Amino acid sequence: MSPSNLLSKWLGESEKKVKDLFKRARERQPCILFFDHIDGLCEKHYNTESETSRRIKNEFLVQMRSVGQDNSNVLVFAATNIPWTADTVILQSFDRRIYTPLSDVNERVAMFKTHLGFSNYHSIRDHEWMQLAQKAENYSGTDIDVVCREALVQSIRRLHSAIHFKRVQIPNAYGPQRFWLVCSPLDPDAQELTLNEIKSKELCEPPVTMKNMLTALATHKPIVDKAEIVAYTMFTR
C-alpha cells in the first residue's frame, strides 16, 4: 500500500481510508499489511504540520495500537528509504527495525545477468560478469538497471554512424535467418553500407560490449553513498 492510495484532497477522507484498511485486514485475517514509503504517509513535521497530516497520524497510531492489543492475526510492515524523515512516534509503534543492505557481489552478478544477459544480444564473457559486479560496489538494483539500459542505448547509437555491416545468420523460432550486423571496416566480411540502405527487419541489434558496460558504469554513479549506508546501519541499532 502506497501513500497515494490513502491520501485524499477531501477533508477527513484520508484517515477514513486508513481506518477502513485496518478494518478490512481484521475481517480477512490472517492478513499482512505492507506500507511502502511510510515516510510519505507519516512524515516528520515540526511547526508546519497541517491538521490533515496530524489526523492521519493519529488514526494510524490508533489502528496500530489496536492491532497490538486485540490479539488480531494482522501483521503490519512498512518500508522507507529515508527513515529519518518519518514521524518518530509512528516508527516507535513498530516492534523492530530491519535494515536491508545493498546486494553483495554475487547478487550483483545475478542482477546484471537478469537485466542484460538472458534477454539481449551481448558479447559479455562469463568471467566479465564478476568484473562488472566488483566495479559496481554500492550499486542498488535500480542503479544496475540504469547502467544496463545506458549500455543498450550506447550499442544502438553505434548504428546511426555505422558505415560497415556484415551478414550474420541467427537462429530463431522460424529457423536460421540472415541479418545485417554492424562491424569493423577491418572485418573480412565487411560491406560498406549505410543504415538507410538496410531494411529494418533485416537489421540485427548490435551486441552490448564490455566497453559499453564500463562506460555506462563510469557515467552513472550509485545513488546511495557510503555516508548514507552508515546512517542506515546506525538507524537500525
Side-chain angles (χ1 to χ4, degrees):
M1 183 65 64
S2 67
S4 60
N5 299 124
L6 296 173
L7 297 178
S8 173
K9 64 180 180 179
W10 304 110
L11 185 64
E13 184 68 20
S14 296
E15 52 266 40
K16 182 178 182 298
K17 286 184 177 181
V18 172
K19 183 177 181 179
D20 290 344
L21 179 64
F22 277 87
K23 180 182 177 182
R24 292 200 303 271
R26 292 187 185 91
E27 292 172 349
R28 300 177 184 181
Q29 59 180 297
C31 182
I32 295 176
L33 283 179
F34 176 71
F35 293 91
D36 197 12
H37 302 292
I38 189 67
D39 51 282
L41 182 65
C42 303
E43 188 176 1
K44 183 186 294 184
H45 293 278
Y46 296 95
N47 298 324
T48 58
E49 184 172 23
S50 66
E51 182 63 27
T52 299
S53 176
R54 190 177 297 109
R55 286 201 300 266
I56 293 172
K57 289 180 185 178
N58 288 339
E59 185 60 43
F60 190 88
L61 283 172
V62 168
Q63 297 302 325
M64 286 292 290
R65 287 166 182 162
S66 65
V67 165
Q69 294 172 358
D70 61 8
N71 295 321
S72 60
N73 200 5
V74 177
L75 288 176
V76 183
F77 293 88
T80 176
N81 290 325
I82 41 177
W84 37 83
T85 66
D87 187 88
T88 304
V89 178
I90 297 296
L91 292 177
Q92 290 173 345
S93 66
F94 291 90
D95 294 332
R96 294 185 182 181
R97 296 180 183 181
I98 302 172
Y99 169 55
T100 304
L102 292 170
S103 55
D104 61 27
V105 66
N106 291 320
E107 291 168 339
R108 293 195 296 274
V109 167
M111 287 183 190
F112 276 116
K113 288 183 176 180
T114 298
H115 287 298
L116 184 67
F118 300 134
S119 59
N120 298 99
Y121 188 40
H122 66 83
S123 60
I124 310 297
R125 299 175 182 176
D126 288 342
H127 70 277
E128 290 177 330
W129 294 115
M130 181 58 70
Q131 293 178 21
L132 289 172
Q134 290 170 342
K135 290 180 178 294
E137 185 179 3
N138 293 335
Y139 279 62
S140 67
T142 300
D143 291 323
I144 291 174
D145 181 34
V146 171
V147 167
C148 291
R149 289 176 184 273
E150 174 58 28
L152 283 167
V153 170
Q154 287 180 31
S155 69
I156 293 173
R157 285 198 195 109
R158 187 183 173 195
L159 286 173
H160 297 285
S161 58
I163 57 173
H164 289 89
F165 294 82
K166 68 177 180 179
R167 280 289 195 178
V168 294
Q169 187 167 285
I170 299 176
N172 59 26
Y174 304 100
Q177 188 173 351
R178 289 171 63 80
F179 292 90
W180 287 105
L181 175 67
V182 63
C183 67
S184 165
L186 301 178
D187 193 298
D189 297 322
Q191 297 185 40
E192 192 168 333
L193 293 168
T194 64
L195 190 60
N196 293 332
E197 296 176 82
I198 301 174
K199 295 179 181 179
S200 59
K201 64 180 181 180
E202 295 182 356
L203 186 63
C204 179
E205 180 181 315
V208 175
T209 65
M210 185 64 170
K211 182 180 179 181
N212 294 144
M213 296 298 294
L214 293 176
T215 302
L217 276 170
T219 303
H220 181 79
K221 298 302 180 182
I223 297 173
V224 181
D225 59 31
K226 292 182 179 180
E228 286 181 298
I229 294 174
V230 172
Y232 287 129
T233 305
M234 295 298 294
F235 184 82
T236 53
R237 287 184 178 177

